[in-house]
């Protein structure tokens, strides 16, 4: 698929853009409508018939989807697995090009079930692939945040910048998200703690400041675990950081973090025995202890 997409990017750019668009929207748990495709390709000379030809040329990769809306057709990839493979292996330049054009040309009002779409549309992991250069990613997040000024979008922007090790910029975005959410959203508080930890874990110690900062991150995660219903989410993050903290300091606080992480994950394993992340972290924690 990677080889095929690379060839398409040189010979059949519009066909590749349509394929990536369908897979991106499918990843966001909704459907592609003809109305969306007309808006995306409005600056081309294809028109409705040209779009239908592109859909036909994709053949078995996409299919018509069922919808309660009888006024237009909807489409989705035939296979979720293939859709994920295509997105994960898409040329970064082409994926970024499609995502930027998608959000510049297609109004939220045209997007089928935008309330569902927006939950995954700005995912930091996806954008890290689509925009390898951090300044391109910031430009994208700035543009979409001007249209959709939500703390959750800013949270993803902060996570993206942390992936790129632009921690000073990441703090600006996550602080805005915290302020906008009133500091009451546990997911955003979790992200703030993670960014705080990542920004300092590799720093050299300076009069205990680094250690105190890392401990502050651990305390925030502990508060999230105690106060939020989504225990696994916070316990996994806490355990991962506890292992990294122990590898740096191996002091009494580190042993306490390891002990707490073991207790929480053993409880969560009973509730979610299918969760491989919990199994992996428990093995590491038991090895440390």
């Amino acid at each position: 698929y990677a080889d095929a997409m690379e060839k398409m990017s040189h010979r059949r750019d519009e066909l590749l853009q349509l394929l990536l668009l369908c897979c991106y929207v499918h990843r966001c748990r909704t459907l592609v409508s003809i109305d969306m495709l007309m808006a995306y390709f409005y600056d081309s000379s294809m028109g409705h018939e040209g779009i239908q030809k592109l859909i036909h040329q994709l053949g078995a990769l996409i299919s018509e989807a069922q919808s309660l809306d009888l006024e237009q057709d909807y489409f989705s990839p035939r296979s979720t697995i293939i859709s994920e493979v295509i997105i994960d292996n898409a040329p970064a330049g082409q994926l970024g090009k499609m995502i930027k054009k998608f959000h510049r040309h297609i109004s939220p009002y045209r997007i089928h079930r935008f309330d569902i779409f927006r939950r995954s549309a700005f995912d930091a992991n996806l954008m890290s692939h689509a925009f390898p250069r951090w300044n391109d990613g910031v430009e994208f997040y700035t543009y979409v945040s001007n249209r959709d000024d939500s703390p959750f979008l800013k949270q993803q922007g902060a996570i993206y910048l942390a992936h790129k090790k632009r921690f000073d910029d990441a703090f600006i975005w996550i602080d805005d998200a915290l302020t906008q959410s009133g500091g009451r959203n546990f997911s955003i508080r979790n992200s703030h703690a993670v960014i705080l930890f990542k920004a300092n874990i590799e720093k050299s110690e300076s009069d205990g400041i680094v250690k105190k900062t890392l401990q502050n991150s651990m305390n925030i995660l502990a508060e999230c675990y105690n106060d939020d219903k989504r225990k696994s989410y916070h316990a996994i993050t806490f355990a991962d950081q506890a292992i990294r903290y122990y590898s740096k300091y191996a002091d009494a606080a580190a042993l306490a973090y390891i002990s707490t992480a073991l207790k929480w994950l053993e409880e969560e394993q009973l509730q979610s025995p299918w969760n491989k992340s919990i199994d992996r972290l428990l093995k590491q924690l038991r090895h440390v202890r």
Side-chain angles (χ1 to χ4, degrees), residues 222 225 235 238 242 254-266 285:
Y225 178 85
F238 186 93
L255 291 173
Y257 294 146
I258 295 294
S259 178
T260 299
L262 269 170
K263 177 177 179 292
W264 289 350
L265 285 186
E266 285 170 351
L285 290 166

Side-chain angles (χ1 to χ4, degrees), residues 6 10 20 46 50 57 86 119 128 133 138 215 235 245 248 274:
E6 188 63 39
H10 298 297
L20 293 179
M46 284 192 301
Q57 287 168 13
I86 288 171
R119 297 173 192 169
S128 293
R133 297 190 305 178
V138 169
Q215 290 175 350
Y245 182 96
K248 188 177 181 73
W274 47 265

Side-chain angles (χ1 to χ4, degrees), residues 26-261:
H26 184 69
R27 188 185 183 113
C28 298
R29 308 291 191 271
T30 187
L31 305 173
V32 174
S33 68
I34 286 293
D35 194 31
M36 291 165 63
L37 295 178
M38 290 291 290
Y40 184 86
F41 290 111
Y42 91 96
D43 56 353
S44 71
S45 57
M46 284 192 301
H48 187 275
E49 289 186 4
I51 291 172
Q52 290 287 0
K53 287 181 180 179
L54 285 181
I55 293 171
H56 179 73
Q57 287 168 13
L58 284 178
L61 287 173
I62 64 170
S63 62
E64 192 169 339
Q66 297 297 318
S67 173
L68 295 176
D69 182 0
L70 301 178
E71 295 184 359
Q72 61 177 314
D73 295 330
Y74 289 85
F75 301 91
S76 67
R78 285 186 181 271
S79 166
T80 297
I81 295 175
I82 296 301
S83 177
E84 291 291 331
V85 168
I86 288 171
I87 287 291
D88 291 343
N89 290 276
Q94 291 293 326
L95 183 61
K97 173 183 174 181
M98 182 278 295
I99 290 175
K100 284 195 294 185
K101 185 175 179 180
F102 183 100
H103 289 281
R104 290 187 182 276
H105 286 203
I106 303 177
S107 163
Y109 299 106
R110 291 181 182 266
I111 297 174
H112 182 69
R113 293 305 307 270
F114 181 72
D115 57 324
I116 295 174
F117 172 85
R118 73 191 299 195
R119 297 173 192 169
S120 307
F122 311 109
D123 177 69
N125 292 321
L126 175 60
M127 297 311 155
S128 293
H129 172 41
F131 303 108
R133 297 190 305 178
W134 71 268
N135 50 329
D136 291 335
V138 169
E139 180 183 356
F140 170 74
Y141 275 111
T142 300
Y143 174 79
V144 293
S145 67
N146 288 333
R147 294 177 57 181
D148 181 19
D149 186 32
S150 76
F152 305 104
L153 194 151
K154 291 174 181 175
Q155 175 192 20
Q156 293 303 312
I159 296 171
Y160 169 85
L161 285 163
H163 287 339
K164 302 300 181 182
K165 298 189 180 299
R166 303 289 302 185
F167 294 114
D168 289 343
D169 297 314
F171 279 125
I172 294 173
W173 282 72
I174 201 64
D175 284 343
D176 284 348
L178 276 171
T179 300
Q180 196 170 346
S181 64
R184 295 184 296 273
N185 184 277
F186 292 110
S187 174
I188 293 175
R189 290 178 63 191
N190 180 291
S191 295
H192 175 254
V194 170
I195 292 170
L196 190 65
F197 192 91
K198 287 183 176 179
N200 289 275
I201 187 62
E202 295 180 4
K203 286 184 178 179
S204 300
E205 187 55 80
S206 176
D207 298 326
I209 294 175
V210 172
K211 180 184 285 190
K212 288 179 181 178
T213 303
L214 296 175
Q215 290 175 350
N216 183 30
S217 171
M218 300 299 290
N219 291 338
I220 293 171
L221 290 177
E223 290 175 2
C224 289
Y225 178 85
N226 290 325
D227 296 339
D228 193 14
K229 294 180 180 179
R230 294 168 297 173
K231 302 296 185 185
S232 292
Y233 174 60
H234 302 297
I236 288 171
T237 308
F238 186 93
D240 181 65
Q241 292 192 179
I243 293 167
R244 297 185 68 189
Y245 182 96
Y246 181 87
S247 67
K248 188 177 181 73
Y249 292 106
D251 57 9
L255 291 173
Y257 294 146
I258 295 294
S259 178
T260 299

